[in-house]
Amino acid sequence: MTAVVIAVGSELLRPGRRDTNGDWLVERLLDLGIETRWRSAVDDDVERIARLIATAWKDAGVVLLTGGLGPTEDDRTRDALAVAFDAPLTRDPAMTRWITSMFSARGRVAGPRQWRQADRPQGADWIENALGSAPGLLVERDGRVLAALPGVPAEMKAMFSATVAPRLAAAGGGALARETLRIAGRPESWVDEVVRDLYGTRGTETTILASPGSVELLVTARGADEAEARARLAALTGAMRARLGIDLFGSNEETLAGVVGHLLAARGATVAVAESCTGGLLGAAFTEVAGSSAWFRGGIVGYADDVKSSLAGVPAALIREHGAVSEAVARALAEGARAACSADFGLGVTGVAGPGGGTADKPVGTVHLALADDGAGRTLKLDWPGDRELIRKRAVTVALDLLRRRLLA
Amino acid sequence: MTAVVIAVGSELLRPGRRDTNGDWLVERLLDLGIETRWRSAVDDDVERIARLIATAWKDAGVVLLTGGLGPTEDDRTRDALAVAFDAPLTRDPAMTRWITSMFSARGRVAGPRQWRQADRPQGADWIENALGSAPGLLVERDGRVLAALPGVPAEMKAMFSATVAPRLAAAGGGALARETLRIAGRPESWVDEVVRDLYGTRGTETTILASPGSVELLVTARGADEAEARARLAALTGAMRARLGIDLFGSNEETLAGVVGHLLAARGATVAVAESCTGGLLGAAFTEVAGSSAWFRGGIVGYADDVKSSLAGVPAALIREHGAVSEAVARALAEGARAACSADFGLGVTGVAGPGGGTADKPVGTVHLALADDGAGRTLKLDWPGDRELIRKRAVTVALDLLRRRLLA
């Protein structure tokens, strides 16, 4: 089965707005084995919404609409459904009473404005809204399903899960299973090369996505039922895992900082940081993990060179000799963090994030990373270009991965 | 004039993917005075793409397509245009030669696969691609314009700016001007209350957006020409500025950290931080600003209590007496940051970000902020609920704003 997802609301066409309801529905549909063929965001115009509904109704077995079901003049989804299905709106007396009673239960009075929410096109059923006053609408015809849900995310999600999803699961042919594999410390082209010949595996689909310093493989598998879909998924991701080895750091919602935290917690160890160019981002990544106080001690942001010396104990002479962006200073930062915060491991980061500050010798993108432990530690140099944000994020990811590999060694 | 924007590519319907080309085009169109009525992302299916093109062609004077113009079997935009306009594809011999010469200039050989890019529907013109081998397609008919551009963002943007935008500007009726006003330290409902009666100002449109700790007003004004649009915009935003006063911190792309940085630089002053629950995020926000080394000294992440004491000089007795999350400790952190980093101002943050760690006395969301200066300083307490990410981001924004207000006082 296939789907079309349409979000209604002029505000969704404003700069900076995103149709997060659509994002959510596309994912939930995939969980039900239903792939979305197209999705749209459309303004509050009856004719345009109706034309998109009519086009969608030709294209897919499932059509999901969000928004435009409230009581105001701007809420036009009901009218658009009436136009698209050529089915006049009639006001449902039972729903009118329910809306009135819902309002009076909250000490408010419902009038003609609110009663508009009791209008529905002939042949449509109500979808109950347990959290708000705007009911949804359901049209089932010729094996096709259309559901119109409110734009308020909490109401939309509750109604989809309670009413729409079970109906789609019952009607669905086949099932999908999916998993995201997460890789650090390798470029996208390397990952692509390693797993590329598996992309064509029957009944599966793989998408590769790159983030600063990490790569994701989004794998979905289709089967006649959930068991078959899961078996196919497990076979394919198993093959990928075997090839990726230690470069694979986790799956699905796991984060690199979270994985490192688990490894630290498992051995009762702690970490501290001393950052220059990342300015606190590495500490922020560690402390994004709930419960990180069990293994994250703290850190130093040594942005000015004399702060590197006074707080992290980096000798001023070392900075003079090698420059602030150097392996020697990264190592001293890592050791300083470890000592100053009494941690088992210390991470040090120093680099040129740009846009200014680059030299022929140390261009923008040069980052030195160091790990201090009870032995010789480890160091790493990055020299890939990028903008300030990319260079900083990549440095954080690679620093986390440096510690992860040390903990697995 | 109005527009429809359609992004072609099955990968855009995968979870986690976003149609960033569409985001960009919607903004550029607004700059040209053209509002987008709907936008879509559609998979690589000729019939579906063609149906959306046909629907769009009825709905708007401008239709922009991105993607599906490459040499592979998956690239179906050309075929879809042929179906939508009932105009057979013909291969352009001059374009075939251009593609061949472009490939040979790069030491590669073009074959039938690449020559597909020389196919165009009858009646369509080429849009030159200076950066790649996939030309764009332009259809102009009855005062309407359709442009199909490649999906590679750099190529798409260059072609839109060089060829499509001038054509739309010439054909456009009227102009738009826009500005984003940024407010900190006030909830969305307060901002809404203060400016609400201005929303209806003739020829303008205002959208309100909330972020953790800040609020944005997106204002657009329409005019017969650019001068009129700008005058209307200036009148409305001027009225809003007057009402918002010091709560307005900047406009358009300005960030709170950037504004604070300018204020610090203007008086030759510096700042340092000592963070607990934000774990480095506040330092990261300051150092996101290019050139921040001129006024940001560094900081301490005192996640463990003994690190608060050893690095930021917070007396252990103070923590025992008041608890780590307290006004007294926030103040000591701010003073410690100021002293340890030899800065003019110090900011201290300590709180319960959750999900664990809350008590009846200090529930999740309790955050104490302090500013240290050469006088009595300032403190502030937040006690709004939220998830870990929201609480941390809000704390950073409010801390930045605390310093901004001090610098303006």
Side-chain angles (χ1 to χ4, degrees):
Chain A
M1 209 159 29
T2 60
V4 168
V5 176
I6 300 171
V8 177
S10 298
E11 73 282 4
L12 297 169
L13 281 312
R14 312 284 303 162
R17 292 301 282 253
R18 175 164 191 175
D19 166 27
T20 52
N21 282 343
D23 294 342
W24 190 84
L25 285 171
V26 166
E27 287 215 43
R28 293 295 82 67
L29 287 167
L30 263 188
D31 290 336
L32 294 166
I34 299 168
E35 290 184 87
T36 301
R37 293 307 183 193
W38 54 271
R39 55 183 286 193
S40 285
V42 57
D43 68 353
D44 302 310
D45 179 272
V46 173
E47 294 301 324
R48 276 189 286 272
I49 304 167
R51 269 197 289 273
L52 284 177
I53 293 172
T55 307
W57 193 245
K58 285 183 201 135
D59 270 348
V62 178
V63 178
L64 299 181
L65 299 163
T66 58
L69 291 178
T72 76
E73 271 303 308
D74 286 349
D75 290 304
R76 318 296 282 274
T77 299
R78 287 176 293 265
D79 306 273
L81 285 167
V83 172
F85 289 106
D86 197 15
L89 291 179
T90 56
R91 186 154 296 180
D92 182 330
M95 183 56 77
T96 309
R97 284 193 297 276
W98 181 81
I99 290 170
T100 302
S101 70
M102 185 148 174
F103 270 73
S104 61
R106 297 176 187 189
R108 292 160 59 206
V109 177
R113 213 174 191 227
Q114 285 72 35
W115 291 331
R116 288 187 66 224
Q117 297 183 153
D119 293 348
R120 66 175 161 179
Q122 277 181 4
D125 292 316
W126 295 114
I127 301 174
E128 197 184 325
N129 183 348
L131 303 176
S133 70
L137 289 164
L138 187 74
V139 178
E140 289 181 292
R141 200 177 292 175
D142 314 325
R144 284 158 190 264
V145 178
L146 177 146
L149 302 169
V152 180
E155 299 178 20
M156 184 279 293
K157 290 176 185 180
M159 291 161 79
F160 179 82
S161 300
T163 307
V164 183
R167 213 168 285 253
L168 299 181
L176 281 189
R178 60 198 179 94
E179 184 173 4
T180 301
L181 301 183
R182 301 185 179 275
I183 297 103
R186 296 286 192 175
E188 184 182 12
S189 56
W190 184 90
V191 176
D192 191 56
E193 188 65 44
V194 164
V195 298
R196 185 187 294 163
D197 63 293
L198 298 171
Y199 290 169
T201 307
R202 196 169 68 91
T204 71
E205 197 173 342
T206 302
T207 305
I208 189 164
L209 284 178
S211 312
S214 69
V215 177
E216 292 162 32
L217 289 166
L218 280 62
V219 186
T220 54
R222 177 174 292 286
D225 54 24
E226 207 178 306
E228 190 183 46
R230 275 173 195 269
R232 277 193 177 146
L233 180 72
L236 177 55
T237 55
M240 288 175 166
R241 275 171 205 280
R243 293 185 188 186
L244 294 165
I246 196 178
D247 299 317
L248 182 112
F249 72 80
S251 70
N252 295 333
E253 303 309 313
E254 286 181 306
T255 65
L256 195 44
V259 167
V260 171
H262 278 300
L263 291 171
L264 287 167
R267 62 164 74 187
T270 59
V271 65
V273 301
E275 319 180 47
S276 180
C277 64
T278 47
L281 273 184
L282 181 56
F286 275 126
T287 57
E288 197 178 302
V289 182
S292 45
S293 57
W295 42 264
F296 181 74
R297 298 275 304 151
I300 294 149
V301 180
Y303 217 58
D305 284 348
D306 61 295
V307 175
K308 291 181 182 70
S309 299
S310 63
L311 285 178
V314 181
L318 199 74
I319 299 176
R320 270 198 308 277
E321 189 184 345
H322 298 274
V325 177
S326 59
E327 184 183 315
V329 168
R331 196 183 279 276
L333 284 168
E335 284 161 2
R338 181 168 182 264
C341 299
S342 312
D344 299 300
F345 297 97
L347 285 169
V349 189
T350 179
V352 188
T359 61
D361 214 33
K362 294 170 183 176
V364 170
T366 305
V367 179
H368 286 277
L369 302 157
L371 167 75
D373 52 22
D374 55 6
R378 296 181 177 201
T379 61
L380 202 70
K381 182 188 175 187
L382 303 179
D383 55 5
W384 304 320
D387 65 19
R388 188 173 178 87
E389 187 187 349
L390 174 66
I391 290 166
R392 282 161 39 105
K393 284 190 176 167
R394 195 164 51 199
V396 167
T397 305
V398 178
L400 294 171
D401 197 47
L402 187 65
L403 178 53
R404 182 184 70 93
R405 287 171 192 262
R406 167 67 180 76
L407 290 166
L408 289 175
Chain B
M1 209 161 27
T2 60
V4 169
V5 176
I6 300 171
V8 178
S10 298
E11 73 282 3
L12 298 169
L13 282 312
R14 312 285 300 163
R17 292 301 283 253
R18 175 164 192 178
D19 166 27
T20 52
N21 282 342
D23 294 342
W24 189 84
L25 286 171
V26 167
E27 287 214 44
R28 292 295 82 68
L29 287 167
L30 263 188
D31 290 335
L32 294 166
I34 300 167
E35 290 185 87
T36 300
R37 294 306 182 193
W38 54 271
R39 54 182 288 193
S40 284
V42 57
D43 69 353
D44 302 310
D45 179 273
V46 173
E47 295 300 325
R48 277 189 286 270
I49 304 167
R51 270 198 287 273
L52 284 177
I53 292 172
T55 306
W57 193 245
K58 285 183 202 134
D59 270 348
V62 178
V63 177
L64 298 181
L65 298 163
T66 58
L69 291 178
T72 75
E73 271 303 308
D74 285 350
D75 291 305
R76 318 297 282 274
T77 299
R78 286 176 293 266
D79 306 273
L81 286 167
V83 172
F85 289 105
D86 196 15
L89 292 179
T90 56
R91 186 154 297 177
D92 182 328
M95 183 56 77
T96 310
R97 283 193 297 276
W98 181 82
I99 291 170
T100 302
S101 70
M102 183 147 177
F103 270 73
S104 61
R106 297 175 186 189
R108 292 160 59 206
V109 177
R113 213 173 190 228
Q114 285 72 34
W115 291 330
R116 288 186 66 224
Q117 298 184 152
D119 293 349
R120 67 176 160 178
Q122 276 182 3
D125 292 316
W126 295 115
I127 301 174
E128 197 183 325
N129 183 347
L131 303 176
S133 71
L137 289 164
L138 188 74
V139 178
E140 289 181 292
R141 200 178 291 176
D142 313 324
R144 283 156 191 265
V145 179
L146 177 145
L149 302 168
V152 180
E155 299 178 20
M156 183 279 292
K157 291 176 185 179
M159 292 161 78
F160 178 82
S161 300
T163 306
V164 183
R167 212 169 287 252
L168 299 180
L176 281 189
R178 59 198 180 93
E179 185 172 6
T180 301
L181 300 183
R182 300 182 180 276
I183 297 103
R186 297 285 192 176
E188 183 181 12
S189 57
W190 184 91
V191 176
D192 191 57
E193 187 65 44
V194 164
V195 298
R196 186 187 294 163
D197 63 294
L198 297 171
Y199 290 169
T201 308
R202 196 169 67 92
T204 71
E205 196 173 341
T206 302
T207 305
I208 188 164
L209 284 178
S211 312
S214 69
V215 177
E216 291 161 33
L217 290 166
L218 279 61
V219 187
T220 55
R222 174 175 295 287
D225 54 25
E226 209 178 304
E228 190 183 46
R230 274 173 197 269
R232 277 192 177 146
L233 181 72
L236 177 55
T237 55
M240 288 175 166
R241 275 172 205 280
R243 294 185 187 185
L244 294 166
I246 196 179
D247 299 318
L248 182 113
F249 72 81
S251 71
N252 295 333
E253 303 308 313
E254 286 181 306
T255 65
L256 194 46
V259 167
V260 171
H262 278 300
L263 292 170
L264 287 168
R267 61 164 75 185
T270 59
V271 65
V273 301
E275 318 178 47
S276 181
C277 64
T278 47
L281 273 185
L282 181 56
F286 275 125
T287 57
E288 197 177 302
V289 182
S292 45
S293 56
W295 42 263
F296 180 74
R297 299 273 307 149
I300 293 148
V301 180
Y303 217 59
D305 285 347
D306 62 295
V307 175
K308 291 182 182 69
S309 300
S310 62
L311 284 178
V314 181
L318 199 74
I319 299 177
R320 269 199 308 278
E321 189 183 343
H322 298 274
V325 177
S326 59
E327 183 182 315
V329 168
R331 197 182 279 277
L333 284 169
E335 284 161 3
R338 182 168 180 264
C341 299
S342 313
D344 299 301
F345 296 96
L347 285 169
V349 189
T350 179
V352 187
T359 62
D361 215 33
K362 295 171 184 176
V364 170
T366 305
V367 179
H368 285 276
L369 301 157
L371 168 74
D373 53 23
D374 55 7
R378 296 180 177 201
T379 61
L380 202 70
K381 181 188 174 186
L382 303 179
D383 54 5
W384 304 320
D387 65 19
R388 187 174 179 86
E389 187 187 350
L390 174 66
I391 290 167
R392 282 161 37 105
K393 284 190 176 168
R394 195 163 52 199
V396 167
T397 305
V398 178
L400 294 171
D401 197 47
L402 186 65
L403 178 52
R404 182 184 70 92
R405 288 171 191 263
R406 167 67 179 76
L407 291 166
L408 289 174

